[in-house]
């Protein structure tokens, strides 16, 4: 049915009640409990704030209570029954308001005044392959700035309780909380959505277009599976992508309560976590515990260890250094990541890594972060004296967890509901090794990645790894300077088994360092896809798998040698999944004799070449993102967390402005729509 709106209906209203207008009101009854000292000594803003509180309906007699700030990434508008009034961007922020309401009720019962502020977040799944992806990573810094400004704009807050779930909102919230070094801060993870009882998870479903294009699934199948993949209305995706991994890291850092990450969104155990988080915030405030006592070099190290044991998203290589920077801690380097990953075995069998690939709800029921940390404790890999979100040392928490009723009953639920033993999901190191689970990441270097790169080696198809635990591939480069052209080649059959797909101009300067999941997802779920490797200066979704090498540095537009690769060049990849060593080298071209194909000859080719003439940033790259790319490059780049290092930026600006005496300023509204 078509609807039309006439100008008359826009300009005029048929509702006569709009003309019942009041020009004054009686105002709230009662008296504000001012004291002479308060009126004399408090800033005028604090005094006026009490009037604002009364105007919003707060009981004047309760005005002097402790003030606690709740910050959330709520998106969309829900009716009381949960039905949509206006959709959110994704399930991850759809139910956040429920967590905040539960926590606010608890704070009121604890005789505090809760305040609430919001800054929502985008969906990386929704923006895959679209111009929206160019705002994704840059958005994180913007949101963190907004959260910090909201915190500072309530000068009377005595603690901050954050609620966030997904890929950029949660890292932004962690950065904001980490920066509040003199305040108690607690993070409420937004949890996970449930997988369909009979259907595809939210990672696999994103390859449905490529599979249909190749005739591997029917239209009817795509329609049905696409409808049911998000089986419950709230929470992050069902795999250990960036959202789930960020929740895990938040808990491992000590900012979130023990066993709060990956809880099923909307369910009683999830809401209970909100009430207990509110209690924890007040406990920390009363005990004088602040975020700088929780976030230490030792807790940062623990988080890196737990991340490796989970086999989480490579995007945390960007986000965890950013949290460290916000907390005033040294940012982990590539060498730090290499050292941790060589020490720590993967213990969690979850999507997308396998071998079975359990959804995140099962990881939660199997014990989540405390269960993994218990194994890591037994291996001597953790600092046990760090503080947790509960305000107690980690060692005490793990002792409680090991014999807790909560652990026992959740393990029983996992067995009863899914017939899965908990130690099939979270394993000892011996059992994990027997199952063929390897450590999480390798950081290949070579003449195409002199600054380094990363591959999720635990997610390479085991059939491609030889008896020595090494993935070896040499193949012709198929070079693309834009993701749209690359995914089109995958869908139309121009990419074949044995090819190495090279996507460049996709780093921060080219496209805001977009995620390239539509490419990796298509290759994972196409019958020939595992025989194709990907090399890119972009980043990957946390659910990406396969021989996908990202974060190649320097990026092509920064003069990196990957910007000199031509179609048909021979690239050699070697990844030792046991020793976690890797190389990425140009070794020749189509005319190079076999005996001359080696990295040294590749060095000669690279040295003799200029950069490709078709290297260019996306024409529609937003000016906001271009500015972000420039600032984060000055501040240490992707391996430094894509942060804004204010001291370095200011120093650079001052140096650049020396001798500047005159010039013209032109307005630019480029790509701001």
């Amino acid at each position: 049915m078509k609807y039309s709106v006439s100008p008359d209906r826009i300009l005029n209203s048929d509702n006569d009640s709009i003309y019942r207008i009041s020009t004054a009101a009686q105002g709230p009854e009662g008296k504000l409990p001012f004291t002479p000292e308060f009126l004399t000594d408090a800033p005028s803003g604090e005094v006026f704030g009490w009037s604002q509180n009364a105007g919003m309906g707060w009981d004047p007699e309760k005005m002097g209570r402790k003030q606690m700030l709740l910050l959330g990434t709520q998106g969309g508008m829900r009716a009381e029954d949960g039905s949509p009034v206006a959709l959110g961007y994704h399930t991850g922020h759809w139910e956040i308001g429920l967590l905040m309401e539960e926590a606010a009720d608890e704070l009121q019962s604890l005789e505090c005044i809760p305040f609430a502020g919001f800054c929502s977040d985008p969906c990386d799944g929704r923006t895959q392959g679209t111009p929206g992806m160019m705002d994704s990573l840059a958005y994180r810094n913007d949101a963190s700035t907004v959260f910090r400004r909201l915190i500072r704009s309530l000068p009377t807050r005595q603690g901050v309780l954050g609620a966030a779930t997904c890929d950029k909102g949660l890292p932004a919230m962690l950065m904001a909380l980490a920066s509040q070094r003199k305040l108690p801060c607690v993070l409420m993870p937004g949890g996970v959505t449930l997988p369909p009882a009979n259907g595809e998870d939210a990672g696999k479903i994103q390859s449905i277009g490529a599979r249909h294009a190749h005739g591997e699934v029917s239209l009817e199948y795509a329609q049905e599976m696409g409808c049911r993949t998000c089986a419950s209305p709230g929470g992050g995706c069902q795999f250990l992508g960036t959202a789930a991994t960020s929740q895990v890291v938040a808990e491992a850092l000590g900012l979130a309560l023990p066993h709060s990450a990956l809880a099923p969104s909307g369910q009683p155990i999830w809401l209970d976590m909100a009430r207990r988080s509110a209690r924890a915030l007040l406990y920390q405030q009363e005990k004088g515990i602040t975020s700088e006592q929780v976030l230490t070099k030792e807790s940062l190290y623990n988080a890196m260890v737990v991340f490796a044991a989970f086999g989480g998203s490579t995007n945390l290589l960007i986000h965890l250094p950013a949290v460290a920077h916000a907390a005033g801690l040294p940012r982990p380097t590539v060498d730090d990541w290499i050292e941790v990953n060589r020490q720590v075995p993967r213990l969690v069998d979850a999507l997308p890594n396998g071998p079975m690939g359990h959804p995140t709800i099962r990881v939660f029921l199997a014990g989540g972060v405390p269960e993994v940390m218990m194994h890591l404790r037994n291996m001597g890999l953790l600092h046990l004296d760090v503080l947790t979100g509960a305000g107690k040392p980690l060692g005490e928490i793990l002792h409680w967890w090991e014999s807790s009723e909560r652990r026992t009953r959740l393990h029983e639920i996992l067995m009863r509901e899914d017939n899965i033993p908990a130690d099939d999901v979270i394993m000892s190191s011996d059992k994990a090794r027997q199952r063929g689970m390897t450590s999480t990441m390798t950081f290949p270097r070579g003449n195409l990645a002199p600054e380094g790169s990363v591959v999720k080696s635990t997610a390479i198809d085991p059939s491609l790894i030889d008896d020595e635990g090494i993935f070896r591939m040499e193949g012709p480069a198929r070079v693309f300077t834009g993701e749209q052209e690359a995914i089109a080649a995958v869908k139309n059959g121009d990419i074949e088994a044995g090819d190495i797909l090279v996507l460049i101009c996709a780093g921060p300067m080219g496209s805001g360092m977009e995620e390239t999941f539509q490419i990796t997802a298509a290759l994972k779920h196409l019958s020939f896809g595992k025989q194709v490797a990907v090399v890119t200066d972009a980043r990957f979704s946390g659910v990406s798998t396969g021989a996908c090498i990202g974060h190649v540095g320097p990026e092509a537009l920064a003069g990196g040698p990957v910007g000199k690769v031509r179609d048909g060049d021979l690239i050699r990849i070697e990844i030792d999944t046991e020793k976690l060593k890797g190389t990425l080298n140009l070794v020749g071209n189509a005319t190079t004799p076999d005996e001359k194909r080696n990295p040294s000859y590749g060095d000669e080719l690279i040295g003799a070449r200029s950069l490709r003439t078709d290297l260019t940033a996306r024409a529609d790259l937003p000016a906001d993102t271009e500015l972000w790319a420039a600032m984060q490059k000055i501040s240490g780049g992707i391996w430094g967390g894509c942060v804004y290092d204010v001291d370095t930026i200011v120093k650079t600006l001052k140096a650049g402005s020396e001798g500047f005496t005159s010039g013209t300023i032109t307005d630019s509204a480029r790509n701001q729509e």
Side-chain angles (χ1 to χ4, degrees), residues 220-336:
E220 182 180 10
Y221 178 88
Q223 292 169 335
E224 290 183 0
M225 293 300 106
C227 185
R228 69 179 65 156
T229 191
C230 297
S232 58
C237 293
Q238 308 110 332
F239 46 79
L240 273 176
T242 308
T245 308
S246 296
Q247 294 184 37
V248 165
V249 164
E251 186 177 329
L253 283 168
L255 283 173
L257 285 191
H259 201 237
S260 59
L262 313 181
S265 180
Q267 297 190 34
I269 196 168
W270 177 78
L271 293 169
D272 173 75
M273 175 266 293
R275 288 193 172 272
R276 293 185 295 106
S277 296
R279 295 171 201 156
L281 184 68
L282 183 59
Y283 177 84
Q284 289 187 22
Q285 191 273 330
E286 291 176 343
K287 296 295 183 180
I289 298 172
T290 64
S291 69
E292 69 179 355
Q293 296 167 259
V294 175
L295 293 175
T296 62
K297 289 187 294 184
E298 291 75 19
S299 64
L300 180 67
Y301 178 81
N302 282 356
M304 295 172 68
V305 168
V306 171
F307 163 66
F310 266 80
S313 166
T314 54
N315 281 319
L316 270 293
L317 298 176
I318 298 173
H319 299 318
L320 198 52
V323 175
H325 179 261
L329 299 171
R331 288 175 271 180
T333 65
V334 174
D335 289 336
D336 294 330

Side-chain angles (χ1 to χ4, degrees), residues 102-113:
E102 203 78 11
D105 286 345
E106 184 68 16
L107 287 171
Q108 287 201 43
S109 73
L110 295 170
E111 299 188 351
C112 297
I113 303 177

Side-chain angles (χ1 to χ4, degrees), residues 387-409:
L387 287 174
T388 66
K392 298 292 183 182
L394 176 60
E396 288 185 25
I397 294 298
L398 296 182
H399 179 73
W400 159 78
W401 174 257
E402 195 164 9
S403 58
S404 67
E405 178 189 17
R406 183 184 181 95
R407 178 179 183 235
T408 299
R409 293 187 66 176

Side-chain angles (χ1 to χ4, degrees), residues 109-396:
S109 73
L110 295 170
E111 299 188 351
C112 297
I113 303 177
F115 287 77
F118 300 87
C119 177
S120 195
D121 54 359
C123 175
D124 280 1
R126 188 178 294 273
T127 58
Q128 289 293 335
T130 76
M133 181 52 71
M134 292 186 286
D135 283 294
S136 171
L137 185 52
Y139 169 88
R140 184 205 65 180
N141 288 9
D142 296 341
S144 182
T145 298
V146 171
F147 285 134
R148 290 194 301 272
R149 291 190 187 280
L150 286 172
I151 293 169
R152 294 193 296 266
S153 296
L154 186 67
T156 51
R157 76 281 184 261
Q158 293 176 263
V160 185
L161 189 59
T165 306
C166 280
D167 294 26
K168 300 305 175 296
L170 183 45
M173 185 71 77
L174 287 174
M175 291 164 64
L177 297 182
S179 71
Q180 305 305 304
R181 302 171 197 173
K182 301 301 181 183
L183 283 174
C185 297
V186 175
L187 188 283
M188 298 185 294
V192 300
T193 190
L194 298 183
N198 180 23
E200 297 187 358
D201 67 82
K204 184 175 182 180
I205 202 67
Q206 293 182 57
S207 68
I208 200 76
R211 284 183 284 152
H212 177 68
H214 280 265
E216 297 188 4
V217 298
S218 68
L219 177 61
E220 182 180 10
Y221 178 88
Q223 292 169 335
E224 290 183 0
M225 293 300 106
C227 185
R228 69 179 65 156
T229 191
C230 297
S232 58
C237 293
Q238 308 110 332
F239 46 79
L240 273 176
T242 308
T245 308
S246 296
Q247 294 184 37
V248 165
V249 164
E251 186 177 329
L253 283 168
L255 283 173
L257 285 191
H259 201 237
S260 59
L262 313 181
S265 180
Q267 297 190 34
I269 196 168
W270 177 78
L271 293 169
D272 173 75
M273 175 266 293
R275 288 193 172 272
R276 293 185 295 106
S277 296
R279 295 171 201 156
L281 184 68
L282 183 59
Y283 177 84
Q284 289 187 22
Q285 191 273 330
E286 291 176 343
K287 296 295 183 180
I289 298 172
T290 64
S291 69
E292 69 179 355
Q293 296 167 259
V294 175
L295 293 175
T296 62
K297 289 187 294 184
E298 291 75 19
S299 64
L300 180 67
Y301 178 81
N302 282 356
M304 295 172 68
V305 168
V306 171
F307 163 66
F310 266 80
S313 166
T314 54
N315 281 319
L316 270 293
L317 298 176
I318 298 173
H319 299 318
L320 198 52
V323 175
H325 179 261
L329 299 171
R331 288 175 271 180
T333 65
V334 174
D335 289 336
D336 294 330
W337 286 112
I338 291 172
E339 181 182 356
V340 167
N341 274 269
R342 286 179 179 169
Q343 292 181 45
V344 181
R346 180 166 65 96
L347 305 178
V348 181
D349 180 351
L351 291 168
N353 303 326
M356 288 298 295
H358 298 287
T360 43
I361 178 61
R362 289 183 184 169
V363 179
F364 176 77
L365 293 174
V369 175
E371 193 81 9
V372 171
M373 292 185 108
M374 194 175 68
H375 289 296
L376 295 170
R377 175 202 62 185
N378 296 342
M379 299 168 66
L381 292 173
L382 294 176
H383 296 282
L384 299 176
D385 55 350
V386 299
L387 287 174
T388 66
K392 298 292 183 182
L394 176 60
E396 288 185 25

Side-chain angles (χ1 to χ4, degrees), residues 460-466 470-473 529-532 546-547:
I460 298 174
D461 192 299
S463 68
L464 303 177
I465 298 172
D466 66 21
I470 300 176
F471 168 82
R472 292 182 170 92
M473 182 176 181
K530 70 179 182 180
Q531 305 293 340
V532 176

Side-chain angles (χ1 to χ4, degrees), residues 464-548:
L464 303 177
I465 298 172
D466 66 21
D467 293 340
E468 298 176 311
I470 300 176
F471 168 82
R472 292 182 170 92
M473 182 176 181
E474 183 175 310
R478 295 296 313 282
V479 186
F480 301 90
T481 57
E483 190 193 22
Q484 293 301 318
E485 295 82 2
I487 188 61
V490 171
K491 288 183 175 181
N492 66 26
D494 284 349
I495 297 295
E496 301 175 350
D499 287 343
I500 296 179
L501 190 159
V502 180
L503 173 61
I504 52 179
C505 299
M509 295 172 65
S511 67
M513 203 178 186
E514 61 195 321
E515 268 188 7
T516 57
F517 181 57
Q518 64 169 342
I519 294 173
T520 58
L523 292 174
K524 175 180 179 179
H525 296 292
L526 288 171
S527 56
F528 66 90
K530 70 179 182 180
Q531 305 293 340
V532 176
V534 177
V535 173
T536 181
D537 51 11
R539 59 192 176 90
F540 297 122
S541 165
V543 74
S544 292
T545 59
C548 304

